[in-house]
mmCIF file with all atom_site columns, all heavy atoms in Angstrom:
data_model
loop_
_atom_site.group_PDB
_atom_site.id
_atom_site.type_symbol
_atom_site.label_atom_id
_atom_site.label_alt_id
_atom_site.label_comp_id
_atom_site.label_asym_id
_atom_site.label_entity_id
_atom_site.label_seq_id
_atom_site.pdbx_PDB_ins_code
_atom_site.Cartn_x
_atom_site.Cartn_y
_atom_site.Cartn_z
_atom_site.occupancy
_atom_site.B_iso_or_equiv
_atom_site.pdbx_formal_charge
_atom_site.auth_seq_id
_atom_site.auth_comp_id
_atom_site.auth_asym_id
_atom_site.auth_atom_id
_atom_site.pdbx_PDB_model_num
ATOM 1  N N   . PRO A 1 288 ? -14.437 14.302 35.903 1.00 0.00 ? 292 PRO A N   1
ATOM 2  C CA  . PRO A 1 288 ? -13.252 15.139 35.798 1.00 0.00 ? 292 PRO A CA  1
ATOM 3  C C   . PRO A 1 288 ? -12.788 15.127 34.387 1.00 0.00 ? 292 PRO A C   1
ATOM 4  O O   . PRO A 1 288 ? -12.655 14.103 33.751 1.00 0.00 ? 292 PRO A O   1
ATOM 5  C CB  . PRO A 1 288 ? -12.228 14.514 36.799 1.00 0.00 ? 292 PRO A CB  1
ATOM 6  C CG  . PRO A 1 288 ? -12.967 13.337 37.399 1.00 0.00 ? 292 PRO A CG  1
ATOM 7  C CD  . PRO A 1 288 ? -14.239 13.067 36.715 1.00 0.00 ? 292 PRO A CD  1
ATOM 8  N N   . GLN A 1 289 ? -12.312 16.355 33.966 1.00 0.00 ? 293 GLN A N   1
ATOM 9  C CA  . GLN A 1 289 ? -11.728 16.640 32.553 1.00 0.00 ? 293 GLN A CA  1
ATOM 10 C C   . GLN A 1 289 ? -10.409 17.315 32.653 1.00 0.00 ? 293 GLN A C   1
ATOM 11 O O   . GLN A 1 289 ? -9.958  17.763 33.709 1.00 0.00 ? 293 GLN A O   1
ATOM 12 C CB  . GLN A 1 289 ? -12.744 17.614 31.796 1.00 0.00 ? 293 GLN A CB  1
ATOM 13 C CG  . GLN A 1 289 ? -14.097 17.154 31.795 1.00 0.00 ? 293 GLN A CG  1
ATOM 14 C CD  . GLN A 1 289 ? -14.365 15.949 30.851 1.00 0.00 ? 293 GLN A CD  1
ATOM 15 O OE1 . GLN A 1 289 ? -14.029 15.967 29.725 1.00 0.00 ? 293 GLN A OE1 1
ATOM 16 N NE2 . GLN A 1 289 ? -14.981 14.842 31.348 1.00 0.00 ? 293 GLN A NE2 1
ATOM 17 N N   . GLN A 1 290 ? -9.888  17.498 31.389 1.00 0.00 ? 294 GLN A N   1
ATOM 18 C CA  . GLN A 1 290 ? -8.689  18.351 31.256 1.00 0.00 ? 294 GLN A CA  1
ATOM 19 C C   . GLN A 1 290 ? -9.003  19.848 31.595 1.00 0.00 ? 294 GLN A C   1
ATOM 20 O O   . GLN A 1 290 ? -10.134 20.102 31.860 1.00 0.00 ? 294 GLN A O   1
ATOM 21 C CB  . GLN A 1 290 ? -8.185  18.200 29.868 1.00 0.00 ? 294 GLN A CB  1
ATOM 22 C CG  . GLN A 1 290 ? -9.234  18.387 28.785 1.00 0.00 ? 294 GLN A CG  1
ATOM 23 C CD  . GLN A 1 290 ? -8.761  18.321 27.398 1.00 0.00 ? 294 GLN A CD  1
ATOM 24 O OE1 . GLN A 1 290 ? -7.544  18.317 27.232 1.00 0.00 ? 294 GLN A OE1 1
ATOM 25 N NE2 . GLN A 1 290 ? -9.682  18.183 26.424 1.00 0.00 ? 294 GLN A NE2 1
ATOM 26 N N   . HIS A 1 291 ? -8.071  20.642 31.635 1.00 0.00 ? 295 HIS A N   1
ATOM 27 C CA  . HIS A 1 291 ? -8.199  22.092 31.950 1.00 0.00 ? 295 HIS A CA  1
ATOM 28 C C   . HIS A 1 291 ? -8.671  22.431 33.388 1.00 0.00 ? 295 HIS A C   1
ATOM 29 O O   . HIS A 1 291 ? -9.267  23.441 33.631 1.00 0.00 ? 295 HIS A O   1
ATOM 30 C CB  . HIS A 1 291 ? -9.146  22.853 30.969 1.00 0.00 ? 295 HIS A CB  1
ATOM 31 C CG  . HIS A 1 291 ? -9.013  22.648 29.585 1.00 0.00 ? 295 HIS A CG  1
ATOM 32 N ND1 . HIS A 1 291 ? -7.785  22.257 28.918 1.00 0.00 ? 295 HIS A ND1 1
ATOM 33 C CD2 . HIS A 1 291 ? -9.839  22.729 28.584 1.00 0.00 ? 295 HIS A CD2 1
ATOM 34 C CE1 . HIS A 1 291 ? -8.050  22.175 27.768 1.00 0.00 ? 295 HIS A CE1 1
ATOM 35 N NE2 . HIS A 1 291 ? -9.268  22.408 27.419 1.00 0.00 ? 295 HIS A NE2 1
ATOM 36 N N   . GLY A 1 292 ? -8.644  21.346 34.347 1.00 0.00 ? 296 GLY A N   1
ATOM 37 C CA  . GLY A 1 292 ? -9.142  21.711 35.674 1.00 0.00 ? 296 GLY A CA  1
ATOM 38 C C   . GLY A 1 292 ? -10.690 21.852 35.662 1.00 0.00 ? 296 GLY A C   1
ATOM 39 O O   . GLY A 1 292 ? -11.136 22.709 36.439 1.00 0.00 ? 296 GLY A O   1
ATOM 40 N N   . ARG A 1 293 ? -11.327 21.123 34.802 1.00 0.00 ? 297 ARG A N   1
ATOM 41 C CA  . ARG A 1 293 ? -12.814 21.195 34.862 1.00 0.00 ? 297 ARG A CA  1
ATOM 42 C C   . ARG A 1 293 ? -13.601 19.890 35.209 1.00 0.00 ? 297 ARG A C   1
ATOM 43 O O   . ARG A 1 293 ? -12.842 18.828 35.051 1.00 0.00 ? 297 ARG A O   1
ATOM 44 C CB  . ARG A 1 293 ? -13.342 21.585 33.412 1.00 0.00 ? 297 ARG A CB  1
ATOM 45 C CG  . ARG A 1 293 ? -12.703 22.737 32.741 1.00 0.00 ? 297 ARG A CG  1
ATOM 46 C CD  . ARG A 1 293 ? -13.272 24.049 33.296 1.00 0.00 ? 297 ARG A CD  1
ATOM 47 N NE  . ARG A 1 293 ? -12.838 25.170 32.451 1.00 0.00 ? 297 ARG A NE  1
ATOM 48 C CZ  . ARG A 1 293 ? -12.281 26.279 33.070 1.00 0.00 ? 297 ARG A CZ  1
ATOM 49 N NH1 . ARG A 1 293 ? -12.136 26.277 34.322 1.00 0.00 ? 297 ARG A NH1 1
ATOM 50 N NH2 . ARG A 1 293 ? -11.741 27.234 32.280 1.00 0.00 ? 297 ARG A NH2 1
ATOM 51 N N   . VAL A 1 294 ? -14.794 20.008 35.465 1.00 0.00 ? 298 VAL A N   1
ATOM 52 C CA  . VAL A 1 294 ? -15.630 18.830 35.659 1.00 0.00 ? 298 VAL A CA  1
ATOM 53 C C   . VAL A 1 294 ? -16.847 19.013 34.785 1.00 0.00 ? 298 VAL A C   1
ATOM 54 O O   . VAL A 1 294 ? -17.454 20.134 34.843 1.00 0.00 ? 298 VAL A O   1
ATOM 55 C CB  . VAL A 1 294 ? -16.069 18.534 37.101 1.00 0.00 ? 298 VAL A CB  1
ATOM 56 C CG1 . VAL A 1 294 ? -17.049 17.512 37.407 1.00 0.00 ? 298 VAL A CG1 1
ATOM 57 C CG2 . VAL A 1 294 ? -14.839 18.269 38.082 1.00 0.00 ? 298 VAL A CG2 1
ATOM 58 N N   . ILE A 1 295 ? -17.214 18.131 33.974 1.00 0.00 ? 299 ILE A N   1
ATOM 59 C CA  . ILE A 1 295 ? -18.569 18.179 33.423 1.00 0.00 ? 299 ILE A CA  1
ATOM 60 C C   . ILE A 1 295 ? -19.656 17.334 34.029 1.00 0.00 ? 299 ILE A C   1
ATOM 61 O O   . ILE A 1 295 ? -19.291 16.287 34.553 1.00 0.00 ? 299 ILE A O   1
ATOM 62 C CB  . ILE A 1 295 ? -18.506 17.879 31.810 1.00 0.00 ? 299 ILE A CB  1
ATOM 63 C CG1 . ILE A 1 295 ? -18.012 16.369 31.606 1.00 0.00 ? 299 ILE A CG1 1
ATOM 64 C CG2 . ILE A 1 295 ? -17.532 18.824 31.072 1.00 0.00 ? 299 ILE A CG2 1
ATOM 65 C CD1 . ILE A 1 295 ? -18.192 15.902 30.222 1.00 0.00 ? 299 ILE A CD1 1
ATOM 66 N N   . VAL A 1 296 ? -20.679 17.890 34.145 1.00 0.00 ? 300 VAL A N   1
ATOM 67 C CA  . VAL A 1 296 ? -21.851 17.249 34.922 1.00 0.00 ? 300 VAL A CA  1
ATOM 68 C C   . VAL A 1 296 ? -22.912 16.999 33.844 1.00 0.00 ? 300 VAL A C   1
ATOM 69 O O   . VAL A 1 296 ? -23.494 17.937 33.255 1.00 0.00 ? 300 VAL A O   1
ATOM 70 C CB  . VAL A 1 296 ? -22.438 18.025 36.040 1.00 0.00 ? 300 VAL A CB  1
ATOM 71 C CG1 . VAL A 1 296 ? -23.542 17.213 36.625 1.00 0.00 ? 300 VAL A CG1 1
ATOM 72 C CG2 . VAL A 1 296 ? -21.261 18.348 37.028 1.00 0.00 ? 300 VAL A CG2 1
ATOM 73 N N   . GLY A 1 297 ? -23.342 15.710 33.648 1.00 0.00 ? 301 GLY A N   1
ATOM 74 C CA  . GLY A 1 297 ? -24.412 15.392 32.592 1.00 0.00 ? 301 GLY A CA  1
ATOM 75 C C   . GLY A 1 297 ? -25.238 14.202 33.061 1.00 0.00 ? 301 GLY A C   1
ATOM 76 O O   . GLY A 1 297 ? -24.820 13.626 33.986 1.00 0.00 ? 301 GLY A O   1
ATOM 77 N N   . LEU A 1 298 ? -26.230 13.683 32.473 1.00 0.00 ? 302 LEU A N   1
ATOM 78 C CA  . LEU A 1 298 ? -26.691 14.333 31.320 1.00 0.00 ? 302 LEU A CA  1
ATOM 79 C C   . LEU A 1 298 ? -28.267 14.139 31.215 1.00 0.00 ? 302 LEU A C   1
ATOM 80 O O   . LEU A 1 298 ? -28.675 13.288 31.888 1.00 0.00 ? 302 LEU A O   1
ATOM 81 C CB  . LEU A 1 298 ? -25.952 13.853 30.121 1.00 0.00 ? 302 LEU A CB  1
ATOM 82 C CG  . LEU A 1 298 ? -26.130 12.521 29.431 1.00 0.00 ? 302 LEU A CG  1
ATOM 83 C CD1 . LEU A 1 298 ? -25.402 12.355 28.089 1.00 0.00 ? 302 LEU A CD1 1
ATOM 84 C CD2 . LEU A 1 298 ? -25.636 11.231 30.306 1.00 0.00 ? 302 LEU A CD2 1
ATOM 85 N N   . THR A 1 299 ? -28.826 14.978 30.439 1.00 0.00 ? 303 THR A N   1
ATOM 86 C CA  . THR A 1 299 ? -30.251 14.758 30.254 1.00 0.00 ? 303 THR A CA  1
ATOM 87 C C   . THR A 1 299 ? -30.680 13.945 29.171 1.00 0.00 ? 303 THR A C   1
ATOM 88 O O   . THR A 1 299 ? -29.708 13.661 28.221 1.00 0.00 ? 303 THR A O   1
ATOM 89 C CB  . THR A 1 299 ? -30.808 16.214 30.076 1.00 0.00 ? 303 THR A CB  1
ATOM 90 O OG1 . THR A 1 299 ? -30.204 16.724 28.876 1.00 0.00 ? 303 THR A OG1 1
ATOM 91 C CG2 . THR A 1 299 ? -30.572 17.163 31.213 1.00 0.00 ? 303 THR A CG2 1
#
Side-chain angles (χ1 to χ4, degrees):
Q293 304 288 307
Q294 52 181 342
H295 312 330
R297 308 272 188 238
V298 168
I299 59 170
V300 181
L302 76 172
T303 60

